[in-house]
Amino acid sequence: MVVIGAGPAGLLAAREAALRGCSVLVLEEHKEVGRPDHCAGLLSTSGLATLGLRPPSSVIQNHVKGARIHSPSGHSILIERGQREALVVDRALFDQWLAERATDAGAVVRVEAHVSRLLKRGRAVAGVRLRDGTEMPSRLVIDGEGSRGVLVREAGLLPVPKRNRLPAYQVEVRGANVDEEVVQMFYGRRVAPGFFAWIIPLGDGRARVGVAAKSRARQRLLWAMKHHPPMRTRLEQATIERGYGGVVLVGMPIPRTVTHGMLVVGDAAGIVKATTGGGVIIGGGAAIIAGRVATKATRSADLSLKTLAEYEHSWRALYIRDLRAMYVVQRLLAALTDRGMDELVASVDELGLVSVVRQSGDMDRQGRVIAQLLRNPKSYLAALRAIGHVNLAQL
Ligand SMILES: Cc1cc2nc3c(=O)[nH]c(=O)nc-3n(C[C@H](O)[C@H](O)[C@H](O)COP(=O)(O)OP(=O)(O)OC[C@H]3O[C@@H](n4cnc5c(N)ncnc54)[C@H](O)[C@@H]3O)c2cc1C
């Protein structure tokens, strides 16, 4: 079996299949797994546990307890449960650790192997062709190429649409004045229209600072670090060590993640939390299912669409309600004017959000929190107030 891309999704699928006795080759275009990196590296401890992952200390940069949400006018609320909720990892080292686990299980990871085309037999995917012309026939391909989705389209599936891909820019700084256990999220049309900006502490005054927005992410980030008061006060002594761009996905998964001869995993399938763009945990969970289904299909020599579709049914059964709820919330937040966002943050106490999060908060599967909030009649009043500040054109 061939897996395209040595990101978390491809590697988790590869390990799962290799553990079950499948012969697996992972093809990664870059010289080194994990580089260049583009991620903020914030991963929930509960999510990692559900994937059976305990990253070694060499990969972990920090632990965080909660998040402070800043409204456009500078009001803020702290959401936390008094316990370590998440790890901040060095994503390059994290991916390399996942690659080691996959190779320990028997998979082969080949770097500098750029897949330029899919081989086809009729409409079915039948392997890959590398940029150097090498052809690699394979009865089954797992596509973990990330957010670009070029090969998804070539397979005849619909990739993540452009409108759901937000440009992002992130810098790593030294000398930040931040609470080392709290992630900061900044909302507002000037800072990050359509999404938010963040500061993720790495310990010892180091931090990852980023913006994803509808456009001009880099300019917005550099502006906000200097001029947006809640960011400026935390960053005025900071020096930038390096910066890098990326693409954050904010939509729903693609309509079909399975076709003849191919399963699509991770960002390529759009399996991400629309509220934060985070895809390592949920995308990884779905990818593990892909590894299992792929093994079952290849070992029983039943590569029918019906057998492969078990992947699609299983991951949707597990995650689609949460993904849908997070998508709706993201669309509403993106459409709120600054005034509406200010009102929403101001009504957090009234809605009892902090205690709902304490009871049933889950960083990855936010559907439960959203459903519980909707059971509170005050939510409708807050929503009605906020709806007066929705820009309908943005919905
Ligand atoms: C700025 C930013 C911050 C983020 N922060 C977080 C966060 O804090 N937490 C979180 O969970 N998620 C975060 N994400 C999202 C997260 O990075 C993705 O969801 C995750 O990396 C998806 O994993 P993947 O394996 O699907 O794809 P990727 O990690 O993108 O891996 C795809 C791999 O495939 C390779 N590849 C692509 N095309 C080919 C080809 N044709 N041939 C061979 N190899 C190929 C690529 O080189 C890459 O190594 C962030 C994203 C961005 C942009």
Side-chain angles (χ1 to χ4, degrees):
M1 178 190 317
V2 162
V3 176
I4 304 167
L11 290 167
L12 286 166
R15 175 173 190 268
E16 195 64 25
L19 274 180
R20 286 158 193 260
C22 241
S23 140
V24 185
L25 174 63
V26 183
L27 300 169
E28 167 57 45
E29 62 185 352
H30 290 109
K31 260 197 226 144
E32 209 182 339
V33 170
R35 295 191 206 278
D37 56 345
H38 53 248
C39 176
L42 188 68
L43 307 176
S44 71
T45 39
S46 59
L48 286 164
T50 56
L51 302 189
L53 297 175
R54 292 187 59 185
S57 55
S58 55
V59 166
I60 300 170
Q61 295 177 298
N62 198 11
H63 291 86
V64 292
K65 282 205 305 219
R68 182 169 288 283
I69 297 178
H70 298 260
S71 79
S73 66
H75 291 296
S76 72
I77 44 156
L78 177 66
I79 300 186
E80 50 105 17
R81 294 198 285 187
Q83 63 195 46
R84 288 175 160 187
E85 294 287 342
L87 301 182
V88 187
V89 298
D90 178 316
R91 253 303 292 276
L93 298 183
F94 179 76
D95 287 13
Q96 286 164 17
W97 172 67
L98 292 180
E100 255 170 55
R101 285 168 40 99
T103 48
D104 287 350
V108 174
V109 178
R110 196 169 138 193
V111 292
E112 295 193 272
H114 177 102
V115 174
S116 58
R117 297 291 306 267
L118 296 174
L119 302 179
K120 296 274 196 74
R121 192 176 307 119
R123 280 175 36 223
V125 175
V128 299
R129 177 182 295 130
L130 301 188
R131 188 178 267 165
D132 66 9
T134 315
E135 294 201 344
M136 296 181 167
S138 175
R139 285 192 297 163
L140 191 59
V141 171
I142 295 185
D143 180 14
E145 68 183 300
S147 60
R148 266 181 279 168
V150 178
L151 301 167
V152 172
R153 188 186 295 279
E154 206 187 316
L157 298 171
L158 285 175
V160 172
K162 209 170 158 212
R163 65 173 183 280
N164 292 340
R165 298 160 49 85
L166 295 184
Y169 194 76
Q170 189 166 251
V171 293
E172 289 190 7
V173 302
R174 237 173 228 294
N177 175 20
V178 284
D179 181 332
E180 307 260 288
E181 292 190 302
V182 175
V183 169
Q184 314 280 333
M185 298 162 80
F186 306 88
Y187 288 85
R189 300 223 149 252
R190 267 193 104 176
V191 181
F195 208 64
F196 60 86
W198 60 88
I199 301 179
I200 296 185
L202 300 175
D204 298 328
R206 297 186 61 241
R208 268 185 207 120
V209 187
V211 162
K214 280 186 187 158
S215 61
R216 299 186 292 122
R218 182 171 179 276
Q219 290 93 316
R220 288 182 196 283
L221 177 67
L222 299 179
W223 176 86
M225 288 174 71
K226 277 208 176 120
H227 302 293
H228 187 54
M231 290 183 80
R232 190 189 61 214
T233 49
R234 290 172 169 82
L235 298 169
E236 53 201 355
Q237 307 293 328
T239 48
I240 294 177
E241 293 187 320
R242 69 181 188 117
Y244 39 96
V247 171
V248 162
L249 304 183
V250 292
M252 285 290 284
I254 60 176
R256 277 174 51 220
T257 56
V258 174
T259 186
H260 295 278
M262 186 162 116
L263 309 179
V264 187
V265 296
D267 273 17
I271 306 177
V272 297
K273 302 182 283 179
T275 43
T276 64
V280 173
I281 300 293
I282 290 194
I288 290 174
I289 297 173
R292 280 184 205 144
V293 171
T295 314
K296 186 175 156 197
T298 46
R299 294 189 106 189
S300 62
D302 173 8
L303 290 150
S304 64
L305 209 48
K306 186 164 170 254
T307 302
L308 297 182
E310 270 181 42
Y311 162 57
E312 180 116 36
H313 298 320
S314 305
W315 78 253
R316 284 188 190 273
L318 202 55
Y319 296 128
I320 202 69
R321 284 180 62 187
D322 291 290
L323 292 172
R324 202 176 286 133
M326 291 188 268
Y327 172 67
V328 171
V329 168
Q330 154 60 18
R331 288 306 298 261
L332 284 172
L333 292 180
L336 277 182
T337 61
D338 280 356
R339 181 120 178 258
M341 191 69 202
D342 279 331
E343 292 223 2
L344 204 61
V345 171
S347 40
V348 156
D349 279 342
E350 188 189 345
L351 297 178
L353 176 67
V354 175
S355 65
V356 171
V357 169
R358 287 212 169 116
Q359 272 169 34
S360 42
D362 183 323
M363 262 178 71
D364 301 300
R365 304 185 63 182
Q366 297 160 1
R368 223 158 18 129
V369 168
I370 296 164
Q372 207 162 326
L373 281 176
L374 290 177
R375 269 183 232 127
N376 178 353
K378 287 179 183 159
S379 301
Y380 295 97
L381 292 175
L384 277 177
R385 281 199 306 268
I387 275 171
H389 303 292
V390 163
N391 182 348
L392 291 174
Q394 310 282 342
L395 269 177

